[in-house]
Amino acid sequence: MSENVVIALDAMGGDDAPDIVIKGVDIVRIQFPNARFLLFGDEARLNPLLDAYPLVRSVCEIRHTTHAIKGEDKPSHALRKGRQSSMRLAIDAVRDGEAGGVVSAGNTGALMAMAKFSLRTLPGIDRPALASMLPSPKGETIMLDLGANVECDADNLVQFAVMGADFARAVLGRVPPRVGLLNVGSEELKGSDTIKEAGERLRSIKNPPFEYCGFVEGDDITRGIVDVVVTDGFTGNVALKTAEGVATLFSNFLKAGFQQSLMSKIGYLLSKNGLKVLKNRLDPRLYNGGVFLGLNGVCVKSHGGTDAFGFANAVAVTIGMVSEGMIDRMIAHFKAFDVETKASSNEEASSSEVTEA
């Protein structure tokens, strides 16, 4: 980073906050020495922690508030009563231009409601989407939506594709990003009318900021054949939870297998280094940080039960998006996309008039 990047942190959000927040900053400040942080939370709890990490204090500024959003708070209640909460104030810092992005490990529903209310959606985007990364043999694959929108139309899916491509470019450095639309088959005739319409529209975009690769199936998600997998929030959330469950099941089976006999225990010792590589590759903390794409500001949701390492990764993702100017690029792409759409509509209208004449 050539210039300082300022990130707002909800220091009171998460199961082990504010401890993991401070320790997370201590990890990420080494990777991003030019980053600065605004800590929103109770200074009576933050100051003792910062005293133990003087280098963290040097890159942080405390914004005091004693109000924090609880995990059980309903989004509507948090929106009405949480204006002075650490979460809302951190979001407002992005809205007011004091910070380039915000990270919170707090209540997901409250964060979504507050961020959408305070930051608003970008021009050309109807709904924000929740995106995250999954491991694949070729690196990471971005998937969206993961639950923010249970029902989506073709317009939403096309918008998700553009947003996901910009995310892949900013965070993973994929140029051009490869985008696939999740379906029950790769053939063009398969799927619902919504999926087929979205596919036709993605294929028809002139000079898109990504490479559209057509339909992909569920087993393609972790194969790495595309950089971005686009789907509705219902399907995306089910797929994500299924992948997490399979990973846990595989880990438990593997652990039980190595404990069955003396020979299996010896086998574990012989393969210990390889298993360590596998464990590190599948470590969920490496993929911590769900991003609300489509808002007029960078907003990242860290897992509430993560540790300092996981929180640091969520902050690193945020810094990457801010440093790459993802929001400005997204605005430019949607503006160009809107112009292309209008031009196509005018051409179709003209052709229709000529035909009728």
Side-chain angles (χ1 to χ4, degrees), residues 13-15 20 104-106 108 244 284 288-290 301-307 310-311 314:
D15 297 347
I20 64 156
S104 174
T108 303
E244 291 174 346
N288 182 47
K301 171 64 175 70
S302 169
H303 194 287
T306 192
D307 60 8
F311 190 82

Side-chain angles (χ1 to χ4, degrees), residues 198-218:
E200 291 175 1
R201 290 184 56 187
L202 287 170
R203 281 190 293 271
S204 66
I205 297 177
K206 299 177 182 178
N207 302 315
F210 53 82
E211 176 187 348
Y212 177 58
C213 300
F215 296 144
V216 295
E217 299 182 68

